C-alpha cells in the first residue's frame, strides 16, 4: 500500500518534495519509476534517433555527394549530405581534378544514364600539369574514392549496359537446346 503522502502532494512527480520521512525506500523506487516513465514517454528521442525504414521509391539509392565541389576527397565525403538520389538517377558520378599529385577539385553527385556513359569516363590532361578524371558506378554509396588514373576512372556497373529489352535467341532456349542435342545424338 502506498503512503498517503503521494495523494496529499498530488502528482507523482512531486513525490520527492513531500518531505515525509516514512517513505524510506519507496522514494527511491518511485524516483526510478518516474525516470523510466519520462524516458519511455518520448524523452528518449535524443538517445535513439529514428530513421525511416523504407526507401522513397523502388530501386532508390544514395551516393556520396558534393555537387558544389570540395578541395579534396576527405572534405567531400566528410560534409556530404545523407540524402536519397532523385528518381531517374541510376549511377554515382565522380569528377576529380589534380594538379600534380594533389587534389584541387572533387565533385560527386547522383547521375542519370545520359550523364554516365562508357565514353564519358576516363582521364585527360587539361594543361601541362593538370589532369581530370571521371568515374561512374552503379550501386548504393559506391563512390567513396576518387579516380586518380585511367585504371580508377572506369564505368563500374552491376547490371550489363545492354540489358534493356534483352531477348534470348531462338536457338538457345531450353526446349530448342534439347532438340539440338537429340538430333546430334541421332546423327552420331
Amino acid at each position: 500500500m502506498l503512503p498517503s503522502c503521494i495523494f496529499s502532494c498530488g502528482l507523482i512527480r512531486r513525490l520527492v518534495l513531500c518531505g515525509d520521512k516514512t517513505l524510506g525506500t519507496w522514494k527511491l523506487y518511485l524516483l526510478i519509476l518516474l525516470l523510466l516513465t519520462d524516458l519511455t514517454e518520448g524523452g528518449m528521442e535524443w538517445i535513439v534517433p529514428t530513421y525511416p525504414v523504407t526507401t522513397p521509391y523502388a530501386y532508390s539509392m544514395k551516393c556520396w555527394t558534393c555537387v558544389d565541389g570540395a578541395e579534396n576527397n576527405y572534405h567531400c565525403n566528410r560534409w556530404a549530405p545523407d540524402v536519397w538520389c532523385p528518381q531517374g538517377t541510376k549511377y554515382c558520378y565522380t569528377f576529380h581534378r589534380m594538379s600534380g599529385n594533389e587534389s584541387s577539385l572533387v565533385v560527386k553527385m547522383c547521375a542519370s544514364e545520359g550523364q554516365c556513359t562508357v565514353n564519358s569516363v576516363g582521364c585527360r590532361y587539361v594543361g601541362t600539369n593538370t589532369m581530370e578524371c571521371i568515374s561512374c558506378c552503379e550501386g548504393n554509396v559506391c563512390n567513396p574514392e576518387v579516380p586518380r588514373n585511367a585504371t580508377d576512372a572506369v564505368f563500374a556497373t552491376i547490371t550489363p549496359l545492354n540489358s534493356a529489352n534483352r531477348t534470348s535467341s531462338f536457338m538457345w532456349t531450353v526446349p530448342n537446346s534439347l532438340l539440338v542435342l537429340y538430333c546430334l545424338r541421332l546423327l552420331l
Side-chain angles (χ1 to χ4, degrees):
M1 184 163 172
L2 292 174
S4 62
C5 175
I6 294 175
F7 302 109
S8 64
C9 288
L11 297 172
I12 296 177
R13 294 181 191 275
R14 288 194 231 159
L15 177 65
V16 233
L17 302 175
C18 287
D20 189 1
K21 306 284 185 199
T22 60
L23 288 177
T25 58
W26 281 99
K27 210 182 237 187
L28 179 62
Y29 290 134
L30 287 173
L31 182 60
I32 292 171
L33 178 67
L34 172 69
L35 289 172
L36 290 175
T37 306
D38 279 349
L39 289 176
T40 57
E41 290 178 359
M44 289 182 62
E45 291 174 359
W46 61 276
I47 297 174
V48 182
T50 56
Y51 295 104
V53 182
T54 59
T55 58
Y57 55 89
Y59 305 111
S60 57
M61 59 181 251
K62 292 181 179 183
C63 295
W64 292 100
T65 55
C66 53
V67 179
D68 296 331
E71 64 186 67
N72 59 35
N73 193 43
Y74 172 78
H75 286 104
C76 178
N77 290 348
R78 172 87 168 106
W79 304 111
D82 187 17
V83 294
W84 293 99
C85 289
Q87 202 163 7
T89 57
K90 185 177 179 182
Y91 304 112
C92 298
Y93 172 93
T94 303
F95 173 85
H96 184 211
R97 180 180 297 145
M98 295 168 289
S99 298
N101 287 332
E102 296 294 319
S103 296
S104 59
L105 178 64
V106 173
V107 176
K108 295 182 180 186
M109 62 183 178
C110 303
S112 65
E113 290 185 38
Q115 294 169 310
C116 280
T117 63
V118 176
N119 297 328
S120 67
V121 299
C123 294
R124 65 185 178 108
Y125 280 96
V126 289
T128 57
N129 202 22
T130 303
M131 183 167 61
E132 294 179 346
C133 294
I134 296 173
S135 67
C136 289
C137 59
E138 179 184 10
N140 199 30
V141 196
C142 63
N143 62 335
E145 302 297 327
V146 291
R148 295 190 161 276
N149 53 42
T151 306
D152 299 336
V154 295
F155 191 8
T157 63
I158 297 170
T159 56
L161 292 176
N162 59 356
S163 66
N165 298 328
R166 180 179 287 188
T167 58
S168 58
S169 169
F170 171 79
M171 191 63 189
W172 296 113
T173 59
V174 174
N176 290 324
S177 298
L178 292 174
L179 181 63
V180 169
L181 288 175
Y182 178 74
C183 291
L184 284 174
R185 194 179 119 194
L186 290 176
L187 291 173
L188 297 173

